Structure formats: C-alpha cells, structure tokens
Amino acid sequence: RESPGSTVGVLVRTNAAVARLIYELRQEKIEASEEGGNPLTDSPAVQVVLSLLTLADHPGDETARFHVATSPLAETLGFTRHDDPAAAVRLARQVRRSLMEEGYGPTILSWVRTLSACCDARDLSRLGQLVELVYGYEAAVTPRCDDFIRVVSGKRVEAATAAAVRVMTMHKAKGLQFDVVVLPELDAGLSGRPSEVVV
C-alpha cells in the first residue's frame, strides 16, 4: 500500500516455505505468485475438476466423492450424496464415457462453464488455463484420468497477470531485480553450518 506499482521479492530458504508464505499472503488478500509459476492445483475450482477425474478412476475414493458431492457440480451431475457407492460408480462410468466419446477438452469445458458462476476472477483465470492445458493434452490422452491429473499437478503455470509480490527461494532469485526485497527467515545464519563429522 505504501509503494504502489513497486515489485516485491520475498526470498526464503526452502520450497516448503514458498508454498506456505503464498498461502498466508493470499489469506491477507495479497496476490502473490511463485517464481516460475504455480501449479494449477492452487485453485479450489481446479481441485473440484481434479476430484471429479479422481472419482472417475476411483469411485471408492471417499474424499473425491465428498468433494464432488458438496461442490457446485453436484446438482448438474446428479451426485449429491457422497455416501452412495452405487451412485459414485454410475457417475464414474458416465464421466469416463464422456471423456472417451466427447474428449477431455469438451467434457472438462462443460464442467468449467458450470463452475464459472461460482468463481472469482482468479479462479476463472486458473480454470481457463486448465482448459488450455487439457486441449494441449488431447493428443497424449490415455484411458486413465490419473495420467492427466499427474500432468496438471506437475505443471507450473504463470498467472495471466504477474503478481507484484513474488515469493521464491534465495537460489531462484539470482539475476532478478525487485524494488523491495523481503527476507523473512533471518532467525538463523544464511551460510550453511560445517559438518561436525569428516568422512
């Protein structure tokens, strides 16, 4: 707020600290991104789509069933009771059939259209990036949804508009410049400790 338009680099020691700090900043309504992009799984809307794909491969997965049954997709899919195993099997068959007959792109796009009414601008952007990713994946499609879930989970995608606050490890900051640099982990020395044992 004091420096509008300034870029801020937040440098931490570990990747785990990066993820935690981005989460905490977003809780404070500060848009932050990770250097090199964030996985699409940082969006609750994308996670609903991935839960539905998980359910398609694993109808017994109770976490995925609960997530889908309590999501905005529940009414459209006719799946509102997560504790109904027969309904989960029916939905899994229906989803797999749609993915194989209509394709991943059109199927997931139809879910995104339903979800879009419940999303903020950031989640809409992430869903759009998911749709782009899925249409690029069509040529490599396999019968297992798990394969696509792995692709989505492992892919880092830059936000459509770069956040002014970028969080990264000190190693990734090499060669980058920011108007403001924040070092939140100064409770220990910056250099590594020498080993007490020589082999």
Side-chain angles (χ1 to χ4, degrees):
R1 284 190 292 269
E2 292 174 10
S3 304
S6 294
T7 58
V8 180
V10 182
L11 311 184
V12 295
R13 297 173 188 279
T14 64
N15 288 323
V18 171
R20 180 68 187 179
L21 194 51
I22 288 175
Y23 171 78
E24 295 291 347
L25 287 167
R26 288 187 181 149
Q27 294 299 98
E28 296 295 324
K29 308 289 188 233
I30 298 171
E31 189 58 40
S33 65
E34 183 176 347
E35 182 60 29
N38 295 356
L40 288 175
T41 53
D42 70 354
S43 162
V46 170
Q47 288 183 358
V48 169
V49 172
L50 296 184
S51 287
L52 183 50
L53 291 171
T54 298
L55 192 150
D57 264 7
H58 310 282
D61 185 316
E62 292 183 6
T63 304
R65 282 169 25 186
F66 180 81
H67 196 193
V68 172
T70 57
S71 78
L73 290 176
E75 292 293 332
T76 304
L77 297 169
F79 184 73
T80 56
R81 290 187 44 117
H82 70 279
D83 56 353
D84 184 347
V89 169
R90 283 193 300 274
L91 177 59
R93 285 187 189 132
Q94 172 190 332
V95 168
R96 285 196 307 270
R97 186 178 310 113
S98 179
L99 291 170
M100 291 300 112
E101 292 176 2
E102 297 173 31
Y104 272 61
T107 299
I108 291 176
L109 181 58
S110 70
W111 301 340
V112 165
R113 287 184 175 136
T114 301
L115 286 170
S116 64
C118 308
C119 292
D120 61 15
R122 184 177 181 286
D123 281 325
L124 280 175
S125 172
R126 290 315 237 174
L127 285 172
Q129 291 172 319
L130 176 67
V131 170
E132 284 180 33
L133 182 62
V134 74
Y135 274 102
Y137 177 77
E138 288 278 17
V141 74
T142 70
R144 296 303 305 263
C145 299
D146 284 345
D147 295 330
F148 179 64
I149 292 169
R150 273 191 290 279
V151 168
V152 174
S153 299
K155 180 89 170 163
R156 294 187 170 278
V157 182
E158 293 280 356
T161 57
V165 178
R166 288 163 56 193
V167 184
M168 67 202 75
T169 61
M170 293 178 192
H171 299 293
K172 288 186 181 174
K174 188 175 180 180
L176 300 177
Q177 294 182 350
F178 300 97
D179 299 319
V180 178
V181 176
V182 180
L183 301 169
E185 295 182 310
L186 293 178
D187 54 332
L190 293 176
S191 60
R193 293 181 59 188
S195 174
E196 294 178 3
V197 177
V198 177
V199 179

